[in-house]
Amino acid sequence: MATKPDLVPRCDVHADRSMIKHFGTAREKVSGAVTTIVIWQCPVEGCRQTFHGGRGYYDAASTYRPGRPRRCTSHKEPMIVQAHGDGFTYVCPVDGCDYTEPLAPKAAGKKGE
Ligand SMILES: [Zn+2]
Ligand SMILES: [Zn+2]
């Protein structure tokens, strides 16, 4: 499944900030093989929001796993926050898919409204 080129996730808490690409490692539970994975992290100090393509958004500081990530209803891929018009929206990462979901207002950086 091809993904959209040049997709840079935005933090789902600080949607006005693009996340920074990092390389991490993951160990296969069964074989013990170590693989390199791409993860994205929020640049805001104190924010530990992380995005991983197979997992969606999660808090790297917490082992607690809040609800499931938003997934595209067609592709079941975790959705990515992108700038859209004047605001932000979740988009499906699959190339050619137009499915979007609105970002909750509290996550759009509009505190105090
Ligand atoms: Zn953040
Ligand atoms: Zn999709």
Side-chain angles (χ1 to χ4, degrees):
M1 203 153 35
T3 52
K4 290 169 183 161
D6 303 325
L7 262 188
V8 175
R10 288 168 178 270
C11 179
D12 62 342
V13 177
H14 309 99
D16 55 330
R17 305 297 295 269
S18 292
M19 296 176 100
I20 310 293
K21 190 177 193 173
H22 291 276
F23 293 97
T25 54
R27 186 180 288 272
E28 284 269 347
K29 276 201 180 99
V30 180
S31 68
V34 175
T35 52
T36 301
I37 56 169
V38 174
I39 56 173
W40 300 82
Q41 288 176 330
C42 178
V44 174
E45 203 175 328
C47 180
R48 303 295 300 270
Q49 283 301 101
T50 302
F51 181 86
H52 173 249
R55 195 172 165 191
Y57 290 96
Y58 59 95
D59 181 347
S62 171
T63 52
Y64 168 70
R65 295 193 54 183
R68 278 173 223 151
R70 280 165 194 263
R71 291 178 186 269
C72 174
T73 53
S74 305
H75 299 103
K76 311 298 179 207
E77 290 292 317
M79 298 179 78
I80 294 178
V81 176
Q82 294 284 284
H84 180 79
D86 294 338
F88 303 96
T89 187
Y90 282 97
V91 305
C92 173
V94 175
D95 203 13
C97 182
D98 294 331
Y99 184 74
T100 62
E101 278 187 17
L103 191 66
K106 70 174 176 61
K110 290 182 179 174
K111 286 194 190 106
E113 264 189 33

